[in-house]
Amino acid sequence: MKSFTALKLVALAASGALALTACGGSTGDETSGNGGAAAEGPVKIGTIQYVSHPSLDAVTKGFKKGMEEAGYTGDKISYDDNNAQGDQATNASIVGKLASDSDIDLVLAIATPSAQAAAQSITSIPVLFSAVTDPVDAKLVASNEAPGANVTGTSDKNPVKEQLELLKQISPDAKKVGIVYSSGEANSAVQVQWAKDAAAELGLTIEESAISAPSEVQQAANSLDVDAFYVPTDNAVVSALEGLLQTAQTKKIPVIAADGDSVKRGATATFGINYEKLGVQTAKMADKILKGEAKPASMPVETLTEVDLYLNETAAKKIGLQFPAELKDKAIETY
């Protein structure tokens, strides 16, 4: 791959302009972002997003924004953007294409299924992931502190206990919480267990229903006799969120989401991360790798340290809820 340590020196010598000098060859050690010979041409990044929904779209938007802020503009950068649309076969095909493209300098994999596929097949260049809940459980890294190979990135680990505590604030009588999740997403099973652990401390019980495709979301939601829904950062469920929201409205029960975009779409409330900010943070990691300032193997997985309160008063009114005044005062966004 290209040596971005060399590129940085050239850039400094050229009065701030980004100049790229040519040469060839790479080694296995270079694949982890260790640097090597420089090559002429712009930085090329291959992206693979597992499915389209607002949170993952925001990661992509934030990443490109962050790269632009870092100086990768115009002919200094190009993207090969891909979306698997939630299909595993398409996911694998895209990864195969990216792995065989010798011009790509770095791959960005958004969401756990795409990150897993990329990590398994792409070993010759750095792979950055984003919107992955538990990178260790997904077997993407040896540890969050020391990933150990050519893969690192940002996690969207969400504060499940705080989110369920929020449910108790807005609906004190709720006892049974329903979770619809995808059996095919490793990050989802982890979040269900986190929810069960938190629920035990909060005097709540979890009722779950697993799905294998987004088309099953509404039926699964209808099957649960619960007082509220909790929606984890599950790509299949979030991509078909409207079906669950319709069921919740019919049942007159609140929906606590794991992300702010889902609240904007009609969930009741959440303490959630800002996915565009997560994308920007991932871009900062990419910049360091491309410049040769860091290696994925020793670059710790990063998370956003701040979460924001999102409320949807329109959705709350439809089910007869009113938010406490103190929550309204804390909300960063109210819909």
Side-chain angles (χ1 to χ4, degrees):
M1 67 171 277
K2 302 170 187 174
S3 167
F4 289 89
T5 303
L7 294 183
K8 186 180 179 185
L9 294 174
V10 172
L12 290 172
S15 300
L18 184 61
L20 301 175
T21 56
C23 144
S26 66
T27 69
D29 190 46
E30 292 164 11
T31 65
S32 294
N34 295 335
E40 187 176 22
V43 172
K44 184 176 181 181
I45 295 179
T47 73
I48 175 170
Q49 181 175 318
Y50 184 61
V51 70
S52 293
H53 64 65
S55 295
L56 299 189
D57 294 345
V59 172
T60 300
K61 178 182 178 182
F63 181 82
K64 292 186 176 182
K65 176 182 177 182
M67 294 302 289
E68 183 175 349
E69 290 173 349
Y72 298 87
T73 59
D75 61 2
K76 298 174 185 176
I77 190 166
S78 64
Y79 293 95
D80 180 358
D81 292 324
N82 303 271
N83 193 311
Q85 298 299 349
D87 182 80
Q88 289 286 13
T90 303
N91 196 46
S93 177
I94 292 169
V95 167
K97 181 192 73 166
L98 295 177
S100 65
D101 188 341
S102 61
D103 291 330
I104 289 179
D105 301 294
L106 179 145
V107 167
L108 171 68
I110 302 172
T112 301
S114 289
Q116 289 174 315
Q120 289 167 7
S121 299
I122 300 174
T123 58
S124 60
I125 55 176
V127 174
L128 273 180
F129 57 76
S130 191
V132 170
T133 302
D134 191 334
V136 176
D137 184 78
K139 303 188 186 316
L140 295 172
V141 296
S143 72
N144 289 328
E145 295 75 22
N150 66 311
V151 182
T152 188
T154 57
S155 168
D156 63 348
K157 182 177 181 181
N158 52 302
V160 176
K161 183 177 179 181
E162 289 82 353
Q163 290 164 345
L164 292 180
E165 287 175 334
L166 177 61
L167 169 64
K168 291 179 70 71
Q169 283 185 269
I170 65 176
S171 185
D173 295 332
K175 298 297 181 185
K176 294 189 295 181
V177 181
I179 301 179
V180 177
Y181 73 99
S182 173
S183 58
E185 292 192 37
N187 62 303
S188 301
V190 169
Q191 290 177 85
V192 172
Q193 187 57 54
W194 289 345
K196 288 180 177 179
D197 294 342
E201 295 182 36
L202 298 172
L204 300 169
T205 58
I206 301 296
E207 301 288 337
E208 60 191 90
S209 181
I211 62 165
S212 58
S215 58
E216 300 171 7
V217 168
Q218 187 164 18
Q219 181 180 355
N222 280 326
S223 72
L224 295 172
D225 182 16
V226 293
D227 305 314
F229 284 115
Y230 174 70
V231 181
T233 54
D234 182 299
N235 296 295
V237 177
V238 174
S239 68
L241 182 63
E242 281 69 27
L244 184 145
L245 294 176
Q246 184 178 347
T247 296
Q249 187 175 333
T250 300
K251 293 176 178 285
K252 300 292 185 183
I253 59 175
V255 177
I256 301 299
D259 65 279
D261 287 309
S262 291
V263 176
K264 185 176 182 179
R265 292 166 67 187
T268 313
T270 193
F271 279 113
I273 68 171
N274 183 309
Y275 277 82
E276 185 171 334
K277 290 181 181 178
L278 191 69
V280 171
Q281 186 167 344
T282 312
K284 292 178 180 178
M285 297 179 73
D287 181 40
K288 291 178 182 178
I289 292 171
L290 293 171
K291 288 178 177 175
E293 297 174 353
K295 305 172 185 178
S298 56
M299 194 177 199
V301 173
E302 297 184 10
T303 59
L304 285 179
T305 56
E306 296 181 1
V307 294
D308 297 320
L309 175 60
Y310 299 84
L311 303 175
N312 191 319
E313 288 196 280
T314 301
K317 288 177 181 177
K318 289 179 179 178
I319 60 172
L321 279 182
Q322 286 190 339
F323 294 121
E326 60 268 24
L327 285 182
K328 291 182 182 181
D329 294 338
K330 294 178 182 178
I332 188 171
E333 292 285 354
T334 301
Y335 305 105

